[in-house]
Amino acid sequence: MIPSLGIETALAVAVFVILTCFGLLRGQLSRWRDLPPGPPPFPILGDIPQITLEFPEKCFAQWRKKYGDVIFLKMFNTPVLVINSITAARELLDKRSAIYSDRPYSVLNLELLGWEHDFGIIPYNEELCRHRRWMYQPFFSKTSLAAIADVQRNEAMTLLMALLREPIKFESHIHRYAASSLLQYVYGHRVESDDDEYLHIIETALDETMSSAAPGAALVDFLPFLKHIPAWLPGAGFKRRALKAKKTVREAARRTYALAMNKIKEDCMNEAVLPSLIKKASANGTLEAEQPEIMMFGLTLYGAATDTTQTVIRVFVLAMVLYPDAFTKAQEELDRVIGCDRLPTVEDRHALPYLECVLKETFRFSCPGPLGVPHATSENDEYRGYCIPKGTTILPNLWLMSHDAEVYPDPETFRPERFDGVHANQEDPRNIVFGFGRRICPGRRFADSSVWQAMANITATFDIRKARDVRGDEITPAGTFASGLINHPHKFQCSITHRSGQAAALILGDRR
Ligand code: HEM
C-alpha cells in the first residue's frame, strides 16, 4: 500500500525533484560548455574551413602554440579532439583505453565500399577482439618471430637481386618486397613480379577504395543521409565509384580466400596465417560463421602493412642520399661486426647499435601515418577539467609527436645520433608511430623486422648516392613528402650500385 503523504511533504518532495533535475541539467549544460580550447567554429561547417587540406597535421601543430596540446574542433556536427603531445596521448589513449578505443563510424568504408569486416576501422566490439586474438599467435609469439624473419630474409635476398639488376626501379622493388613478405606470410604466396594476379586484384581494390574515399565522397561520413541518394542521379558520382569499388573489394576477398583454400588442398604452405585460421575454424565448427571475416582479414593486413612499410624503406633510401655520413657510419659498423663475406641476419641485430639508431630515426623522420588512425570515445569523459563528449573523434597528431622540438631537437634533420650512446633513453619513435592503446598497430613487430632486414642487407651490399644529370652534376632530391593518410616521399632519383665484386657475389650466391 502506498502511504498517503501530507500536502507539505508532497510539496517538499516535488520541489526537491524539480531542483535536482534542474541541477543535473545545469550541471550537464555547463559540462558541455567546458570543452577543451580550440578555434571558434563556423555555423554548420564547424572548423572545417580553418583546417588546411594539405598537411592538416602541420596546421594542428601550429594551433598548439595558441590552444595547447589537446584541441577541440567541430567538423560539421562531429566533435573532434586533436591530441598534440605524447603525454596527452598516453593519458587518454593508453590509460583510458577502455573508453578511447572505438573508431568513428564510417558509412563510406563500412557500408558503401564493403570493408565492414576490416578490423582496422570497425568499432571496439567482440569482432575486433576476435581479430586481434587471431593476430596474437602468428605475429607475437616467440616461434612466429623466427618464422617472420625467415620469410623476410628470403624476400630481402630477392630485393637485393632486383636492385643489382635494375637499380633505377628501386621504388618498385621495395614495393614488391613489402607486398610479397606480407602475402607470403599471410597466404603462403610469393610475388615474383609486378604482374602477379593476386597483387593486381588486391592493389586494384585498394586503389579504387582510395579514390572513392576522396574528400568529396567522405562528406557522406559527416552527412550520412547522402548514402540514400540514388547512384544514377547527377552529382552522385561518389556512389557509382563506391559501387564499382565494392565489387572489386568483394572479388579480391573471394580470390584471396580461394588462394588460401588451395594451399590447404595442395597441402603446401598451409602453415601460413590464413590457411591456419581456416583449418582451425573448420576444426572448431565455426568456419561457416567466420568465413566473411576471415576473407577480409588477409586484405585488412595487406592494406595496413604494405604501403606503410614500403614508405619507411623508401624514406630510408632518401635519408641515406641526403645524409651520406649516417650511411657511411652504418656501413662501417656492418663491416666491422659482420665482415664482408656474409650478409647480416636478425641474430646480428643486437651487435649493430648504430644501425638500430638509423632505424629509429627513419621511423621518426618518416612518421608514415601523420595522424594515425582516428579513435573515438565510447563514453563521456573529463580530462584536465574539460569535458570530452561520447562519440568524439580523436586524432593523435603522430607527426607532431615525432617532430616535437622539445622531445627531438632540430626535428627536421635526420640525425641517428640522437638515439646513440648517452641518448639511448631518448623516446623511441616506435612508441609513437604505431599508435596507442588497445588499437595500437598489431603488425608493429612484423613491420619493424621487415624494415630492419631491408635496411641491413641494402647497407651491407650497396652504395646509395646522389644520381647525376647528363652534365655529370649531382641531383639533390628535394626530400619533400606528399600530403595524405600516408606520408609518401615524392619520387626522387638516386644512384644505387653494389659496393664490390664480393658484395655482388654474396647477393648472387645467397639464394637459400
Ligand atoms: C611501418 C609500418 C607500419 C606503421 C607505421 C603502422 C602504423 C599503424 C598505426 C598508426 C595504426 C593505428 C593505431 C591506433 O589506432 O592507435 C595501425 C593500425 C593497424 N595496423 Fe599498422 N602499421 C605498420 C605496419 C603494419 C603491418 C606490417 C601490419 C600487419 C602485418 C599492420 C596491421 C595493422 C592493423 C590490422 C591495424 C588496425 C588495428 C586496430 O584497429 O585494432 N600494420 N598501424
Side-chain angles (χ1 to χ4, degrees):
M1 203 174 88
I2 302 168
S4 61
L5 299 172
I7 183 81
E8 293 88 354
T9 320
L11 267 175
V13 169
V15 168
F16 175 76
V17 169
I18 289 168
L19 285 178
T20 310
C21 290
F22 183 68
L24 283 177
L25 189 67
R26 256 178 51 129
Q28 191 71 9
L29 286 177
S30 68
R31 272 169 69 88
W32 296 123
R33 273 202 302 271
D34 286 342
L35 296 166
F42 289 91
I44 303 175
L45 294 177
D47 290 295
I48 290 177
Q50 315 187 61
I51 303 169
T52 53
L53 267 182
E54 290 258 294
F55 303 107
E57 63 278 9
K58 294 187 182 173
C59 168
F60 299 148
Q62 283 294 322
W63 286 351
R64 183 168 78 171
K65 293 179 199 135
K66 189 158 178 196
Y67 302 109
D69 63 346
V70 286
I71 300 178
F72 190 82
L73 306 170
K74 277 227 154 168
M75 297 200 187
F76 290 106
N77 211 21
T78 305
V80 176
L81 189 80
V82 176
I83 300 186
N84 263 339
S85 73
I86 305 172
T87 309
R90 294 215 169 112
E91 282 173 357
L92 295 176
L93 301 179
D94 284 346
K95 293 197 185 134
R96 302 185 190 187
S97 62
I99 57 170
Y100 279 80
S101 297
D102 243 338
R103 295 280 192 219
Y105 188 83
S106 167
V107 171
L108 185 65
N109 283 302
L110 296 169
E111 296 182 31
L112 301 184
L113 289 168
W115 291 94
E116 65 272 23
H117 294 298
D118 176 341
F119 79 101
I121 54 174
I122 60 176
Y124 190 80
N125 58 19
E126 261 181 45
E127 182 179 344
L128 186 267
C129 296
R130 185 162 51 247
H131 291 207
R132 289 196 70 109
R133 270 198 307 277
W134 288 347
M135 292 293 288
Y136 185 74
Q137 207 289 327
F139 287 91
F140 290 96
S141 68
K142 224 174 175 179
T143 47
S144 72
L145 295 180
I148 288 172
D150 264 2
V151 166
Q152 290 169 343
R153 184 180 157 83
N154 265 327
E155 294 299 337
M157 292 311 119
T158 310
L159 171 65
L160 297 186
M161 185 80 89
L163 289 173
L164 192 64
R165 291 200 174 127
E166 271 186 302
I168 199 157
K169 289 193 179 167
F170 70 96
E171 285 164 323
S172 141
H173 303 324
I174 290 171
H175 176 257
R176 193 217 59 85
Y177 166 72
S180 191
S181 302
L182 195 281
L183 291 181
Q184 171 81 344
Y185 193 65
V186 172
Y187 292 98
H189 175 72
R190 281 209 76 201
V191 176
E192 305 283 352
S193 77
D194 292 345
D195 305 330
D196 182 88
E197 62 165 303
Y198 296 102
L199 188 66
H200 177 73
I201 181 74
I202 302 175
E203 286 286 341
T204 310
L206 292 173
D207 283 351
E208 287 184 12
T209 299
M210 286 312 283
S211 47
S212 302
L219 207 60
V220 69
D221 282 342
F222 295 103
L223 307 170
F225 64 87
L226 291 175
K227 72 179 173 186
H228 299 297
I229 290 181
W232 49 265
L233 264 189
F238 78 94
K239 217 163 159 195
R240 290 190 290 277
R241 278 194 300 279
L243 283 171
K244 180 167 176 278
K246 188 174 188 170
K247 255 174 98 178
T248 317
V249 171
R250 294 266 188 268
E251 179 61 6
R254 191 190 63 73
R255 296 257 295 274
T256 47
Y257 185 80
L259 170 70
M261 288 297 281
N262 275 342
K263 297 288 174 198
I264 298 173
K265 275 193 211 126
E266 290 163 8
D267 202 16
C268 87
M269 292 306 296
N270 58 15
E271 73 283 5
V273 177
L274 227 72
S276 304
L277 204 55
I278 295 172
K279 282 190 292 180
K280 211 165 172 188
S282 182
N284 293 342
T286 53
L287 184 58
E288 203 181 328
E290 288 175 354
Q291 195 203 43
E293 295 177 23
I294 296 177
M295 272 180 145
M296 291 305 288
F297 185 66
L299 286 193
T300 298
L301 296 186
Y302 183 96
T306 306
D307 204 10
T308 43
T309 307
Q310 67 138 351
T311 296
V312 179
I313 302 171
R314 280 173 56 199
V315 172
F316 161 72
V317 175
L318 175 66
M320 296 304 100
V321 179
L322 293 174
Y323 298 89
D325 292 350
F327 190 54
T328 307
K329 221 166 146 182
Q331 283 187 323
E332 282 168 4
E333 182 183 68
L334 272 158
D335 292 348
R336 200 171 53 249
V337 175
I338 313 286
C340 299
D341 50 6
R342 71 176 179 91
L343 291 170
T345 71
V346 280
E347 284 80 41
D348 302 310
R349 189 164 173 175
H350 69 280
L352 298 164
Y354 188 75
L355 194 66
E356 207 62 20
C357 297
V358 175
L359 178 113
K360 286 184 191 171
E361 182 65 343
T362 306
F363 273 113
R364 188 198 68 77
F365 194 67
S366 60
C367 188
L371 289 172
V373 181
H375 288 225
T377 49
S378 49
E379 297 291 337
N380 289 335
D381 192 26
E382 200 175 309
Y383 180 58
R384 298 181 191 162
Y386 296 119
C387 169
I388 297 164
K390 173 180 174 177
T392 298
T393 293
I394 311 288
L395 297 181
N397 193 348
L398 307 184
W399 178 84
L400 174 55
M401 294 176 213
S402 54
H403 288 75
D404 185 341
E406 282 171 25
V407 184
Y408 303 109
D410 193 13
E412 298 311 319
T413 302
F414 185 92
R415 191 150 46 79
E417 287 72 17
R418 67 174 86 243
F419 300 105
D420 206 4
V422 289
H423 307 294
N425 290 332
Q426 171 65 296
E427 182 74 53
D428 187 335
R430 289 170 297 183
N431 295 333
I432 297 171
V433 299
F434 291 112
F436 296 91
R438 296 188 192 181
R439 303 303 289 254
I440 190 171
C441 174
R444 58 195 184 280
R445 297 241 173 110
F446 189 95
D448 176 61
S449 153
S450 188
V451 173
W452 188 88
Q453 295 261 14
M455 271 178 45
N457 283 294
I458 292 175
T459 309
T461 50
F462 288 95
D463 283 325
I464 303 177
R465 297 204 182 91
K466 287 181 185 169
R468 290 183 185 272
D469 63 19
V470 281
R471 289 203 315 256
D473 295 333
E474 284 186 336
I475 306 168
T476 303
T480 48
F481 292 79
S483 172
L485 293 177
I486 304 281
N487 215 359
H488 294 128
H490 284 127
K491 264 185 138 0
F492 60 95
Q493 294 179 40
C494 65
S495 146
I496 301 182
T497 50
H498 55 279
R499 290 179 72 191
S500 62
Q502 199 176 1
L506 272 180
I507 295 170
L508 295 167
D510 198 318
R511 304 298 303 153
R512 297 193 298 168

